[in-house]
Amino acid sequence: MAQLLKPAAHRSLLPATEVDPAYKQLRLKVFLGIFIGYAGYYLVRKNFSMVVPDLIEQGFTKSDLGVVMSAISISYGISKFIMGTVSDRSNARIFLSLGLILSALTMVWMGLSPMATGSIQVMFVLLFLNGWFQGMGWPPCGRVMVHWFSVKERGTKMSIWNVAHNVGGGLMAPIAIAGLTVFGTWQGKLYFPALVALVVALITYWLVRDTPQSCGLPSIEQYKGEASADYNETHEKELSTRQILMDYVLVNKLIWYIALANAFIYLVRYGVLDWAPTYLKEAKGFSLSETGWAYFLYEWAGIPGTLLCGWLSDKVFNGRRAPATIIYMLLVLVAVLVYWQNPAGNPLVDNIALIAIGFLIYGPVMLIGVHALDLVPKKAAGTAAGLTGLFGYLGGAVFANAAMGFVVDAWGWDGGFYVLLASCVLAVVFTALTWKKETHSSLA
Ligand SMILES: O=P(O)(O)OC[C@H](O)CO
């Protein structure tokens, strides 16, 4: 396995006249590869939620199924970090495709074997496994990004790539429903998106290449002429896991700050999203279909918001990440205040506030990842982003589900909103701690 995964070997340089056309063509190909590949991961990330109503009809309770679904957040958070360290020492082309194949096969198994959906324990284990394989998605995309795109274009390119998760998440439901229609059984919602994901994995393998050097090309720094003062050849050498962790990631205070900021950003992301249907119904009197629309708009408003945020970071703030993150989070705070304080009976204002939160929150979600990539050498990119993901999911997403419910039960929706507002403030504070030290071209 180690042999299969090891980073692609460097090849001798192409003749100078061939470098530019080859770089242009391959950058487009690898970008398409990681975009389609990550969208594919989202086809099988949450398609289990589509069969929850069917499982309730089989006799399972909501709380049991809630526990089962938390398996994905827990294992995904841990895996994004651990598999991030493995990914930094692996060929991104193989790693990204392999993770998607394993995740898809898990869901095919779940759909085809009656035993796999026969008990809470088996479902928990399978979804835990799926979450683990899902953790093989983000880090190799990060590795591809830092090897093929320079620091100054990363904000923009990452913001476009980040849309992949909205596209994949948005396509999952219609594909799952097509599975139900074509196969005439609810299990089709499990295995049909997984079969599509298997095809996506093959396309990903066909498109992605590990590094420019493995294609006979110079490093992106040499090609773009954007090498920073401290960039040198050692930045192109693969690192050991110990070096990645002890020399670059765990010792970097700034990474800890953005990981903590990410926990609060994810608490807002999932705290608003996951509780929107319940809050809008209970506190604002929304109907089921009105709630559905509000949820949909929240997700899709994230696309233009993310693109604008990446552009701002690259073009207005010259590759710095903290200013755009802080501005977006302060605006999220205002939108959350409106969403909370708007009296029932003004659904337009609630929808505008929710769309504003959706528009604004995905920018910081994306920029934390870019910021992590900026703070370490290229060969430690997946691990740095993985650490922020660990905090985002284990700290933010799990808290948003479990603890928010407890807070709302104990102190009502006001209590929940105090948590969300405090999270916005803390996200700003932890991001601000990186303000002075953030030098966008310090590492590549
Ligand atoms: O929550 P994740 O790990 O799927 O990441 C979502 C976005 O891609 C963050 O950039």
Side-chain angles (χ1 to χ4, degrees):
M1 184 54 92
Q3 248 345 73
L4 172 75
L5 290 179
K6 80 176 191 195
H10 290 194
R11 280 177 40 196
S12 45
L13 272 182
L14 291 174
T17 51
E18 289 176 29
V19 166
D20 191 50
Y23 232 119
K24 284 200 174 104
Q25 193 207 27
L26 281 166
R27 271 159 58 98
L28 181 63
K29 268 181 88 170
V30 298
F31 186 83
L32 276 175
I34 58 172
F35 188 98
I36 295 170
Y38 204 58
Y41 270 78
Y42 263 77
L43 294 182
V44 278
R45 170 84 64 94
K46 293 262 174 121
N47 64 326
F48 178 81
S49 63
M50 297 294 290
V51 301
V52 167
D54 305 284
L55 290 166
I56 290 172
E57 276 182 24
Q58 309 288 311
F60 294 105
T61 66
K62 283 198 196 76
S63 50
D64 281 345
L65 293 169
V67 171
V68 166
M69 284 195 283
S70 72
I72 288 204
S73 288
I74 297 167
S75 65
Y76 178 73
I78 300 169
S79 167
K80 195 170 170 182
F81 177 52
I82 302 219
M83 297 312 270
T85 65
V86 181
S87 149
D88 276 332
R89 299 172 43 71
S90 301
N91 182 332
R93 181 186 194 193
I94 295 171
F95 200 85
L96 183 63
S97 318
L98 181 67
L100 184 51
I101 289 171
L102 293 172
S103 180
L105 287 178
T106 310
M107 297 317 286
V108 169
W109 181 11
M110 206 162 194
L112 289 182
S113 159
M115 194 197 84
T117 45
S119 81
I120 292 296
Q121 290 81 353
V122 177
M123 285 190 274
F124 187 94
V125 170
L126 285 177
L127 287 189
F128 192 94
L129 265 183
N130 186 32
W132 194 271
F133 298 138
Q134 283 283 320
M136 295 173 71
W138 207 106
C141 293
R143 175 176 167 92
V144 167
M145 193 57 76
V146 293
H147 281 85
W148 288 94
F149 298 94
S150 69
V151 174
K152 284 194 182 160
E153 54 187 0
R154 255 179 232 165
T156 316
K157 292 289 189 291
M158 284 284 287
S159 64
I160 301 170
W161 170 76
N162 203 64
V163 168
H165 86 277
N166 300 91
V167 172
L171 287 175
M172 179 276 286
I175 293 176
I177 291 165
L180 169 70
T181 314
V182 172
F183 296 99
T185 161
W186 61 265
Q187 284 93 339
K189 291 187 271 186
L190 292 172
Y191 56 73
F192 190 56
L195 294 175
V196 177
L198 285 174
V199 176
V200 171
L202 295 180
I203 299 172
T204 304
Y205 180 80
W206 173 58
L207 288 171
V208 173
R209 296 291 180 277
D210 190 28
T211 60
Q213 291 91 332
S214 68
C215 303
L217 296 168
S219 71
I220 188 66
E221 289 74 18
Q222 287 166 322
Y223 174 63
K224 283 275 175 181
E226 281 181 22
S228 58
D230 65 350
Y231 173 80
N232 56 53
E233 277 308 299
T234 60
H235 285 240
E236 302 302 333
K237 290 214 171 80
E238 304 297 337
L239 301 168
S240 69
T241 304
R242 199 205 64 80
Q243 283 174 310
I244 291 172
L245 288 171
M246 307 312 288
D247 295 350
Y248 295 106
V249 177
L250 299 182
V251 291
N252 190 330
K253 240 181 4 194
L254 301 188
I255 293 181
W256 288 103
Y257 292 151
I258 61 167
L260 285 163
N262 204 36
F264 295 108
I265 290 170
Y266 266 62
L267 208 162
V268 179
R269 174 185 175 185
Y270 286 111
V272 173
L273 182 68
D274 291 349
W275 290 100
T278 319
Y279 172 66
L280 290 174
K281 182 167 173 277
E282 285 184 4
K284 304 291 175 88
F286 273 45
S287 68
L288 184 65
S289 73
E290 285 171 328
T291 306
W293 273 107
Y295 193 94
F296 170 84
L297 292 170
Y298 176 91
E299 275 293 308
W300 286 80
I303 296 177
T306 306
L307 295 175
L308 177 66
C309 190
W311 179 84
L312 278 175
S313 170
D314 275 359
K315 305 293 179 205
V316 178
F317 299 112
N318 201 26
R320 296 191 64 199
R321 315 304 173 197
T325 303
I326 289 173
I327 292 171
Y328 264 57
M329 285 312 294
L330 288 173
L331 292 172
V332 169
L333 188 145
V334 174
V336 169
L337 258 176
V338 173
Y339 184 51
W340 173 28
Q341 291 295 328
N342 174 44
N346 303 302
L348 183 64
V349 177
D350 286 318
N351 274 320
I352 291 173
L354 203 54
I355 289 169
I357 301 169
F359 181 91
L360 294 162
I361 194 68
Y362 286 106
V365 164
M366 175 272 302
L367 273 188
I368 290 283
V370 185
H371 203 154
L373 301 184
D374 291 346
L375 289 171
V376 292
K378 288 192 281 194
K379 305 301 176 184
T383 309
L387 186 70
T388 65
L390 179 73
F391 276 65
Y393 276 88
L394 280 193
V398 173
F399 188 95
N401 289 318
M404 269 285 282
F406 173 78
V407 169
V408 173
D409 275 344
W411 293 286
W413 286 109
D414 285 354
F417 276 96
Y418 283 124
V419 171
L420 293 178
L421 292 174
S423 299
C424 293
V425 173
L426 288 166
V428 169
V429 168
F430 283 113
T431 307
L433 290 175
T434 69
W435 183 281
K436 269 175 83 178
K437 286 265 171 90
E438 191 187 14
T439 49
H440 70 264
S441 58
S442 64
L443 284 162

